Amino acid sequence: MPVNSFDDYPMSWKPEKEQLTSPKYRALADLLADDILSGKLPPHTKLPPQRELADYLDLNLSTITRAFQLCTQKGLLYGITGRGTFVSPNAAIDIAIADEKEEASYIEMGIIKPLDAFNTETYAVMEQVLQRGGTALLDYSYPMGTPYQRAAAQKWLEHFSMDVSPSNIAITAGAQNALAILLLTLFRPGDKIATDHYTYANFIELANMMQIRLIPISGDAEGMLPDVLENHCRLQQLNGIYLVPNYHNPTGHIMSQSRKEALAAIIRKYALLAIEDDIYGFLLEKPSLPLAHFAPDYTCYICSLSKSICSGLRIAYLTFPTRFAADIRRGIYNVNVKTPSLNSETAGELIYSGIAKKIIGQKRIEAAARSEICKDFFPEIAKNPLGFSLWLPLPERFHETDFEHLAQKRGISVCHSHRFLVGEADVQQYLRIALSSPDTKEELTKGLSILRDLLASDMDENFFCI
């Protein structure tokens, strides 16, 4: 029996003892996971001390420890030395796009949509490809892409200063698919991957699902700091690193060539497997040498067409060192069998015809115009001239507010920085505002006006009646 009485004792979490079947550590981990994923235990909730919970449940301390470890491996918990164990900020977060436009009663400024008005040109090319290619585009042949499709990929990658053989290129169903394949084939549960303190939310979720630990590395206006990364490499065994050097999602920072060189030196020194996600590289005004250029034997480079050309095309080009070729081919075949030839062939036609380059030019003009609109509302923050999103500091008076819910009630959808957080939360909180997602510049203007007024509103009692 417990030594102490817990009848009136305040505890942040009191699981039902009757539900603890054998093995109890796993049953306890399942109960904890259910309460986190259901939202019953909100982000950053401090859990009871393990000894206290063991006393309450009349269990051994080791049983509690094992349950907590299971949930930590799944990305549901994080610990702070000397302070305790807390619920992860993005454990129960769901990022979803409305199934139908009619379902959204708000202006979309949360999910980053890539200026979908330009999809008409992709549609026209796809019609031509389908008429020309016939049923040959609908079978299982060429799981890694036809020679023509991979040659088109090689040609496209040259725009991003990537000089790579077609034998080291795979065609995947978008960047998300490429990330999943890399994590499945090149990493194992329990491996550690260094990331920025704030990083791509879907990568966080993938790592959690595969029980891969993400290690946050602090940074500055250019991104991850090399000396901090090296200190982590000295202190613990890191297996990999994930970076978004150009127009980083969500912070928008752009990494200089010198910073890439410094990080590449550490990657080579400690034999880290690097994943370079260059989904926004097409927005750079001047071409930049990728990280893969400085650490080619250690870097897998992803160049997706989702943001640059067409999101629904679901095509990304993945380059990899030769030593990983067999593993990646096996992963692609067992996950995808193949990327649909209709999509790959359409991408090739867009590239060879010059239409892809034309679409990029149009998107850059539109992105610049939207950035100018944003400067009218947030001039001190909107610095990137071509960014698809804005990383906006959230005033302190809103830090205890469910700001996403509040904003949606006012007619806009935004994303809070907790969605992108790896590790302990900063004192400062942020909003990621998608400038490319509203259908028109007029809708963007309206959304930014709502947001500015909301952030300037008085904090009276009626303000929070949402």
Side-chain angles (χ1 to χ4, degrees):
M1 293 295 293
V3 174
N4 302 309
S5 172
F6 289 87
D7 293 341
D8 300 313
Y9 187 77
M11 292 176 66
S12 60
W13 185 54
K14 289 186 176 182
E16 295 290 335
K17 305 174 190 179
E18 296 77 14
Q19 297 184 38
L20 295 179
T21 56
S22 186
K24 293 188 175 180
Y25 79 92
R26 189 171 293 279
L28 184 62
D30 289 342
L31 290 178
L32 180 53
D34 287 344
D35 285 348
I36 291 173
L37 295 174
S38 69
K40 186 176 179 180
L41 287 173
H44 301 298
T45 297
K46 183 178 181 180
L47 294 180
Q50 293 185 29
R51 291 186 182 278
E52 189 175 285
L53 196 57
D55 193 15
Y56 169 69
L57 295 171
D58 196 19
L59 295 173
N60 291 329
L61 176 62
S62 61
T63 301
I64 309 298
T65 300
R66 291 182 73 184
F68 277 31
Q69 286 175 342
L70 279 178
C71 288
T72 300
Q73 290 171 0
K74 294 178 180 178
L76 301 176
L77 301 177
Y78 69 93
I80 301 176
T81 304
R83 292 181 56 190
T85 304
F86 301 81
V87 176
S88 293
N90 40 32
I93 285 175
D94 178 33
I95 296 183
I97 301 172
D99 289 334
E100 298 291 342
K101 176 66 177 176
E102 290 75 18
E103 291 183 15
S105 59
Y106 50 81
I107 297 173
E108 180 61 74
M109 300 175 71
I111 303 298
I112 298 179
K113 296 165 64 178
L115 301 172
D116 290 333
F118 296 105
N119 289 350
T120 53
E121 300 198 49
T122 298
Y123 175 77
V125 170
M126 183 173 281
E127 278 192 316
Q128 296 170 10
V129 167
L130 191 57
Q131 290 173 0
R132 185 182 66 221
T135 57
L137 297 174
L138 304 177
D139 59 27
Y140 277 151
S141 62
Y142 294 104
M144 295 291 286
T146 68
Y148 169 81
Q149 293 161 5
R150 295 171 80 179
Q154 182 186 38
K155 178 178 175 65
W156 186 246
L157 290 167
E158 289 174 357
H159 294 301
F160 303 92
S161 303
M162 285 292 294
D163 182 14
V164 60
S165 166
S167 61
N168 292 88
I169 300 172
I171 303 175
T172 67
Q176 186 75 6
N177 181 236
L179 289 171
I181 288 167
L182 290 175
L183 292 185
L184 276 170
T185 57
L186 304 183
F187 295 91
R188 297 292 178 266
D191 280 356
K192 298 177 182 178
I193 297 178
T195 70
D196 292 289
H197 188 51
Y198 292 104
T199 195
Y200 178 40
N202 293 57
F203 183 76
I204 295 173
E205 285 302 299
L206 276 175
N208 288 345
M209 291 170 66
M210 299 180 193
Q211 299 183 28
I212 293 170
R213 292 186 60 190
L214 299 184
I215 308 300
I217 309 296
S218 57
D220 59 12
E222 288 189 18
M224 190 179 292
L225 290 165
D227 58 337
V228 178
L229 174 63
E230 182 151 30
N231 285 338
H232 277 271
C233 289
R234 291 192 187 111
L235 294 172
Q236 60 184 314
Q237 176 64 48
L238 295 181
N239 306 94
I241 181 171
Y242 171 70
L243 293 166
V244 186
N246 299 318
Y247 287 99
H248 176 271
N249 183 11
T251 67
H253 70 242
I254 299 174
M255 194 175 288
S256 67
Q257 181 169 311
S258 61
R259 179 63 56 88
K260 292 176 187 176
E261 291 180 31
L263 290 171
I266 297 169
I267 288 168
R268 297 192 304 268
K269 179 178 179 180
Y270 293 94
L272 300 179
L273 199 168
I275 301 174
E276 182 176 10
D277 188 348
D278 199 21
I279 192 165
Y280 292 107
F282 72 97
L283 288 172
L284 288 177
E285 294 183 18
K286 294 182 180 179
S288 170
L289 289 174
L291 181 77
H293 176 83
F294 305 105
D297 295 331
Y298 298 91
T299 306
C300 294
Y301 173 89
I302 301 170
C303 181
S304 171
L305 305 188
S306 295
K307 296 295 190 289
S308 60
I309 307 300
C310 174
S311 58
L313 197 59
R314 306 311 304 144
I315 291 294
Y317 299 134
L318 167 64
T319 77
F320 46 85
T322 301
R323 61 194 173 109
F324 299 136
D327 289 332
I328 289 175
R329 288 193 187 99
R330 178 168 172 254
I332 287 176
Y333 182 77
N334 285 286
V335 173
N336 297 350
V337 178
K338 67 171 293 181
T339 300
S341 282
L342 175 59
N343 298 19
S344 301
E345 194 78 4
T346 300
E349 184 66 21
L350 286 164
I351 291 166
Y352 274 114
S353 67
I355 294 175
K357 192 172 182 180
K358 173 186 172 185
I359 292 173
I360 281 183
Q362 293 171 328
K363 287 196 174 188
R364 286 170 57 87
I365 292 171
E366 179 68 13
R370 292 184 178 223
S371 294
E372 286 299 314
I373 293 172
C374 188
K375 289 178 184 178
D376 292 338
F377 293 90
F378 302 102
E380 70 284 1
I381 304 300
K383 297 177 182 178
N384 289 340
L386 293 176
F388 270 26
S389 63
L390 176 70
W391 189 238
L392 185 66
L394 186 65
E396 185 177 355
R397 63 183 181 277
F398 291 104
H399 285 191
E400 302 302 320
T401 307
D402 183 352
F403 195 88
E404 289 188 6
H405 189 197
L406 182 65
Q408 195 166 106
K409 289 295 183 181
R410 297 302 191 275
I412 56 174
S413 172
V414 300
C415 285
H416 191 280
S417 55
H418 283 166
R419 291 182 179 270
F420 312 96
L421 179 64
V422 179
E424 186 178 357
D426 285 335
V427 173
Q428 177 63 63
Q429 298 176 19
Y430 299 86
L431 301 173
R432 192 196 68 184
I433 311 301
L435 305 180
S436 60
S437 296
D439 291 335
T440 64
K441 291 190 279 289
E442 291 73 24
E443 191 176 59
L444 172 65
T445 300
K446 180 180 178 182
L448 290 172
S449 178
I450 292 172
L451 178 62
R452 181 185 61 186
D453 292 346
L454 182 55
L455 293 174
S457 298
D458 292 332
M459 299 288 290
D460 58 39
E461 202 171 292
N462 294 327
F463 184 70
F464 294 102
C465 295
I466 61 175

